[in-house]
Amino acid sequence: MTEDAACAVAHGEVPVDGGSRALVAVFASPVAEHLLRYGRDLGFRTLLVDPDPERAADGALAEVPELGSDADVVVTDHHRAELGAVLRDVLKRDVRWVGVMGNPRHAGPHVAALRELGVPESEIARVHRPIGLNIGSRTPPEIAIATLAGLLADRNGKPGGFAF
């Protein structure tokens, strides 16, 4: 990260420059660690947001910064008490994409949490779940790869998988 970009992030901004992409992982977790590592390798500007300073890694922001239309936001833990408040704040931003990890066979707890906070249904509908490509991922590195592959397919207007 350049010195200017680091300064902007320190002030709660994720700079938009030259069409580069931002990947924001919400909540420190093993999956977030791999998302950020692999995301940097793919050319994303990466950022971790975690309101709990005891869980957050160095450099994590406690609050959702200003984000632009180049940002993809991935919530990596749907069991956190802060889920609704953080997602509400993300949805106030003009992000390109937002998703929450979780098993598609179970109701997403983010929906009830957002409704309790009075978030309009049209905003709740912006949240993707499930996320990533269905490759049978089980481990944090595999989940991160599936998630990033899904983001790239979506960003590039492709279906993902073996359909060309």
Side-chain angles (χ1 to χ4, degrees), residues 7-161:
C7 181
V9 168
H11 289 91
E13 304 168 9
V14 176
V16 177
D17 57 0
S20 64
R21 306 162 300 183
L23 174 63
V24 180
V26 177
F27 301 135
S29 71
V31 172
E33 178 184 330
H34 286 64
L35 272 173
L36 297 174
R37 180 183 319 151
Y38 300 156
R40 283 188 296 275
D41 291 342
L42 292 170
F44 285 92
R45 293 183 331 273
T46 60
L47 180 66
L48 175 64
V49 173
D50 196 316
D52 184 346
E54 291 184 22
R55 294 183 190 209
D58 289 337
L61 295 178
E63 296 178 7
V64 177
E66 289 303 318
L67 300 168
S69 61
D70 71 329
D72 294 337
V73 180
V74 178
V75 177
T76 66
D77 186 343
H78 60 270
H79 296 293
R80 295 278 297 270
E82 309 97 321
L83 176 66
V86 171
L87 266 177
R88 176 199 59 208
D89 293 348
V90 166
L91 291 169
K92 289 179 182 177
R93 310 308 196 257
D94 182 32
V95 299
R96 187 193 81 84
W97 191 95
V98 59
V100 176
M101 290 186 174
N103 187 328
R105 291 182 286 280
H106 303 288
H110 68 285
V111 175
L114 290 170
R115 284 181 180 149
E116 285 179 22
L117 294 170
V119 175
E121 292 295 322
S122 61
E123 289 297 297
I124 294 171
R126 291 178 53 203
V127 180
H128 296 267
R129 188 170 178 275
I131 62 174
L133 299 184
N134 180 2
I135 59 172
S137 304
R138 298 282 182 253
T139 66
E142 291 174 347
I143 293 167
I145 288 170
T147 300
L148 287 164
L151 287 174
L152 291 172
D154 183 75
R155 186 178 287 272
N156 294 325
K158 300 295 181 182

